[in-house]
Amino acid sequence: MENIRIGFIGGGRIVQALVDGLHEANYLDKIHLTISCPSANDDKSSLKRFSNMIQMTSSNLLLCNTCDIVLFAVKAKLIKSICQELEKSLDKNRLTNILFISIVPGLTISTLSHWLHTENNIIRIMYNVNVAKCNGSYAISSLTTNENNRRLENYLKSIFDKVAYYAGAVSESELDIMCALIGSGPAFFCTAVEGLADGAVKAGLSRQLANTLAARTMLGCADVLVASSKHPAELKNDISTPGGTTIYGLHELENKGVRGAFMDAIMAAFNRAQTMADQLARDTK
């Protein structure tokens, strides 16, 4: 297993988050990782600090000729041309023995299969930036039954397990929901933290302290929910004493439709993921 090589086509924030998490978990130097991106030779790249543990290249073809697992982590509009280059240039045997993985919202197994002209060696993974602190979440959607591909998939899962909670094997439609919840969710939580901190600043607290306490309050609350398996409403009710400050604040949140706004945000992100999938699928016809 130790000789299995993993490659990322793309070196953006979501890839950097995984690299940071694996480094924090003291596991980055135990795997063979290559990243292909235009800034591979840029000394200012944030990935350069790991140059003694990862390989960097600007050639997608070179990466695919040396890696057993290849994850697409670039903008959706770039994928088709990259796939066409790989399908044209890679040896057919090589092409069919790589486990290709989409971590791009909307990039489905069928679309990637069509562009690469290969089957049974493509899966999807969704994970979030929280892997940077070994506290992420991820899920896998897979149709592959090939024994070698299963072996590669299990190896990749063992790596993600170092930095994230495994939500399970899901359908592609469920993965689009997870794109909204775990992929976009951190941004939604940051918006909530920012709003809470702004309120504290308005009341007179310093910006630095307000930001820190708002973030740590959310962190502590999440820990309690996960550890206790309590329903959020139960914990909310435990905190809300009759006639106290919390229930007055909750009344304002209800008046402003905050819960509905979060539900709408998830649905908007989910619908966007499916729209992106439809747009990419149309490009296969």
Side-chain angles (χ1 to χ4, degrees), residues 76-77 79 102 104-112 114-115 124 126 172-177 179 268-285:
K77 64 182 180 180
I79 302 269
S102 164
V104 179
L107 182 59
T108 64
I109 293 172
S110 62
T111 296
L112 201 50
H114 181 89
W115 286 340
R124 291 180 65 188
M126 176 55 59
E172 287 199 79
S173 179
E174 289 173 318
L175 203 72
D176 286 338
I177 301 172
C179 171
F270 167 63
N271 290 335
R272 177 55 182 162
Q274 296 209 310
T275 298
M276 292 171 68
D278 291 341
Q279 291 172 339
L280 290 172
R282 284 198 296 270
D283 209 11
T284 65
K285 298 175 181 177

Side-chain angles (χ1 to χ4, degrees), residues 12-26 28 49-50 127-137 159-160 162-165 182 186:
R13 288 187 180 90
I14 194 68
V15 178
Q16 293 176 27
L18 181 61
V19 172
D20 285 338
L22 291 172
H23 181 254
E24 183 158 313
N26 295 315
L28 187 59
R49 66 188 188 279
F50 302 118
Y127 70 95
N128 60 18
V129 295
N130 296 349
V131 295
K133 284 300 181 182
C134 302
N135 202 15
S137 299
I159 292 173
F160 272 94
K162 303 294 181 184
V163 295
Y165 165 78
I182 68 175

Side-chain angles (χ1 to χ4, degrees), residues 63-79:
L63 179 143
C64 288
N65 270 315
T66 56
C67 291
D68 306 288
I69 301 171
V70 174
L71 298 94
F72 288 95
V74 296
K75 292 181 179 179
K77 64 182 180 180
L78 302 176
I79 302 269

Side-chain angles (χ1 to χ4, degrees), residues 47-285:
L47 291 169
K48 281 294 183 179
R49 66 188 188 279
F50 302 118
S51 58
N52 62 325
M53 288 179 277
I54 63 175
Q55 299 293 318
M56 298 287 292
T57 179
S58 57
S59 171
N60 297 328
L61 190 58
L62 177 63
L63 179 143
C64 288
N65 270 315
T66 56
C67 291
D68 306 288
I69 301 171
V70 174
L71 298 94
F72 288 95
V74 296
K75 292 181 179 179
K77 64 182 180 180
L78 302 176
I79 302 269
K80 183 179 181 179
S81 60
I82 292 173
C83 288
Q84 289 174 333
E85 175 198 14
L86 297 179
E87 193 274 332
K88 178 181 178 181
S89 304
L90 285 176
D91 174 82
K92 184 63 177 178
N93 185 60
R94 181 70 186 153
L95 188 69
T96 56
N97 280 288
I98 296 172
L99 180 63
F100 289 104
I101 300 171
S102 164
I103 66 170
V104 179
L107 182 59
T108 64
I109 293 172
S110 62
T111 296
L112 201 50
S113 177
H114 181 89
W115 286 340
L116 288 170
H117 292 171
T118 183
E119 297 178 348
N120 302 319
N121 60 325
I122 299 172
I123 67 173
R124 291 180 65 188
I125 288 180
M126 176 55 59
Y127 70 95
N128 60 18
V129 295
N130 296 349
V131 295
K133 284 300 181 182
C134 302
N135 202 15
S137 299
Y138 79 104
I140 296 176
S141 182
S142 171
L143 301 176
T144 182
T145 56
N146 177 280
E147 183 178 343
N148 182 59
N149 291 334
R150 283 293 187 192
R151 180 179 67 93
L152 294 174
E153 181 182 324
N154 287 334
Y155 176 70
L156 189 67
K157 182 178 177 294
S158 73
I159 292 173
F160 272 94
D161 284 344
K162 303 294 181 184
V163 295
Y165 165 78
Y166 180 49
V170 300
S171 68
E172 287 199 79
S173 179
E174 289 173 318
L175 203 72
D176 286 338
I177 301 172
M178 291 186 181
C179 171
L181 182 58
I182 68 175
S184 301
F188 303 154
F189 281 124
C190 284
T191 301
V193 168
E194 183 182 26
L196 291 169
D198 283 347
V201 171
K202 183 178 181 180
L205 210 59
S206 72
R207 167 61 65 185
Q208 182 177 1
L209 186 56
N211 286 346
T212 299
L213 290 179
R216 292 190 67 83
T217 298
M218 181 166 285
L219 176 66
C221 184
D223 281 345
V224 171
L225 287 173
V226 171
S228 67
S229 298
K230 281 187 175 183
H231 189 284
E234 185 180 354
L235 180 58
K236 179 193 72 174
N237 291 339
D238 288 345
I239 300 169
S240 304
T241 56
T245 58
T246 303
I247 195 64
Y248 272 74
L250 287 171
H251 189 193
E252 285 300 311
L253 293 178
E254 290 298 321
N255 283 337
K256 299 299 190 297
V258 170
R259 276 194 296 174
F262 276 117
M263 291 171 67
D264 288 344
I266 291 295
M267 287 305 301
F270 167 63
N271 290 335
R272 177 55 182 162
Q274 296 209 310
T275 298
M276 292 171 68
D278 291 341
Q279 291 172 339
L280 290 172
R282 284 198 296 270
D283 209 11
T284 65
K285 298 175 181 177

